[in-house]
Amino acid sequence: NLTDLAYIKSVNGLLNVTSDTSLINAKISLFDITGRVLSNAVNVSIIDSNKLNVNVSNLASGNYFITIEDDSHKSTKQFIKN
Protein backbone atom coordinates (compact mmCIF):
# COMPACT_ATOMS: atom_id res chain seq x y z
CA ASN A 1 0.00 0.00 0.00
CA LEU A 2 1.04 3.61 -0.29
CA THR A 3 1.92 3.82 3.38
CA ASP A 4 5.03 1.78 2.56
CA LEU A 5 6.62 4.39 0.32
CA ALA A 6 10.38 4.73 0.39
CA TYR A 7 12.20 7.87 -0.66
CA ILE A 8 15.72 8.16 -1.89
CA LYS A 9 17.47 11.47 -1.35
CA SER A 10 16.99 14.01 -4.11
CA VAL A 11 19.66 13.44 -6.76
CA ASN A 12 20.34 16.05 -9.43
CA GLY A 13 16.90 17.58 -8.93
CA LEU A 14 15.02 14.26 -9.01
CA LEU A 15 13.14 12.71 -6.12
CA ASN A 16 13.09 8.93 -6.48
CA VAL A 17 9.87 7.35 -5.16
CA THR A 18 9.20 3.64 -4.76
CA SER A 19 6.21 1.73 -3.46
CA ASP A 20 5.17 -1.87 -3.03
CA THR A 21 2.05 -1.10 -5.11
CA SER A 22 1.51 0.47 -8.50
CA LEU A 23 2.08 4.21 -8.85
CA ILE A 24 0.80 4.39 -12.44
CA ASN A 25 -2.46 6.20 -11.57
CA ALA A 26 -1.21 8.01 -8.47
CA LYS A 27 -1.74 11.74 -8.02
CA ILE A 28 1.41 13.58 -6.94
CA SER A 29 1.31 16.93 -5.08
CA LEU A 30 4.13 19.06 -3.65
CA PHE A 31 3.79 21.40 -0.66
CA ASP A 32 6.13 23.81 1.08
CA ILE A 33 6.76 23.71 4.83
CA THR A 34 3.74 26.01 5.46
CA GLY A 35 1.40 23.62 3.62
CA ARG A 36 1.03 25.78 0.52
CA VAL A 37 0.45 23.70 -2.61
CA LEU A 38 3.35 24.19 -5.00
CA SER A 39 2.11 21.98 -7.79
CA ASN A 40 -0.53 19.41 -8.54
CA ALA A 41 0.86 18.80 -12.02
CA VAL A 42 4.46 17.94 -11.27
CA ASN A 43 6.85 16.57 -13.87
CA VAL A 44 6.87 12.81 -13.20
CA SER A 45 8.78 10.12 -15.07
CA ILE A 46 7.50 6.60 -14.56
CA ILE A 47 10.39 4.13 -14.29
CA ASP A 48 8.16 1.09 -13.83
CA SER A 49 4.81 0.41 -12.16
CA ASN A 50 6.13 0.98 -8.63
CA LYS A 51 8.98 3.45 -9.24
CA LEU A 52 8.91 7.02 -10.43
CA ASN A 53 11.05 10.15 -10.46
CA VAL A 54 9.63 13.55 -9.55
CA ASN A 55 11.48 16.53 -10.99
CA VAL A 56 12.11 19.00 -8.13
CA SER A 57 14.96 20.91 -9.81
CA ASN A 58 12.88 24.12 -9.93
CA LEU A 59 12.47 24.22 -6.14
CA ALA A 60 14.72 26.32 -3.92
CA SER A 61 16.73 24.49 -1.26
CA GLY A 62 14.60 23.68 1.77
CA ASN A 63 12.07 21.33 3.38
CA TYR A 64 9.06 20.14 1.40
CA PHE A 65 6.32 17.54 1.47
CA ILE A 66 5.17 15.19 -1.25
CA THR A 67 1.70 13.64 -1.20
CA ILE A 68 0.96 10.57 -3.29
CA GLU A 69 -2.56 9.23 -3.47
CA ASP A 70 -4.61 6.78 -5.42
CA ASP A 71 -8.26 5.74 -5.14
CA SER A 72 -7.84 4.06 -1.76
CA HIS A 73 -4.60 5.29 -0.17
CA LYS A 74 -2.80 8.53 0.62
CA SER A 75 0.73 9.06 1.90
CA THR A 76 2.57 12.29 2.73
CA LYS A 77 6.32 12.34 3.29
CA GLN A 78 8.82 15.10 3.98
CA PHE A 79 11.94 15.57 1.88
CA ILE A 80 14.84 18.01 1.81
CA LYS A 81 15.89 19.68 -1.43
CA ASN A 82 19.60 20.54 -1.34
Side-chain angles (χ1 to χ4, degrees), residues 42-62:
V42 295
N43 185 356
V44 175
S45 300
I46 297 173
I47 306 304
D48 62 36
S49 65
N50 65 340
K51 292 183 183 179
L52 53 85
N53 288 336
V54 180
N55 186 335
V56 294
S57 62
N58 62 330
L59 299 178
S61 295

Side-chain angles (χ1 to χ4, degrees), residues 4-64:
D4 297 327
L5 291 172
Y7 295 91
I8 300 171
K9 186 176 179 179
S10 178
V11 178
N12 295 327
L14 292 176
L15 186 64
N16 302 302
V17 180
T18 59
S19 175
D20 60 352
T21 59
S22 177
L23 296 169
I24 298 292
N25 295 316
K27 177 184 173 188
I28 312 292
S29 301
L30 297 177
F31 302 87
D32 67 12
I33 198 74
T34 67
R36 182 175 55 104
V37 176
L38 300 176
S39 179
N40 282 318
V42 295
N43 185 356
V44 175
S45 300
I46 297 173
I47 306 304
D48 62 36
S49 65
N50 65 340
K51 292 183 183 179
L52 53 85
N53 288 336
V54 180
N55 186 335
V56 294
S57 62
N58 62 330
L59 299 178
S61 295
N63 291 303
Y64 297 92

Side-chain angles (χ1 to χ4, degrees), residues 59-78:
L59 299 178
S61 295
N63 291 303
Y64 297 92
F65 294 93
I66 183 170
T67 296
I68 302 171
E69 62 184 306
D70 62 16
D71 292 336
S72 57
H73 301 93
K74 181 177 182 178
S75 179
T76 300
K77 301 286 185 179
Q78 184 176 10

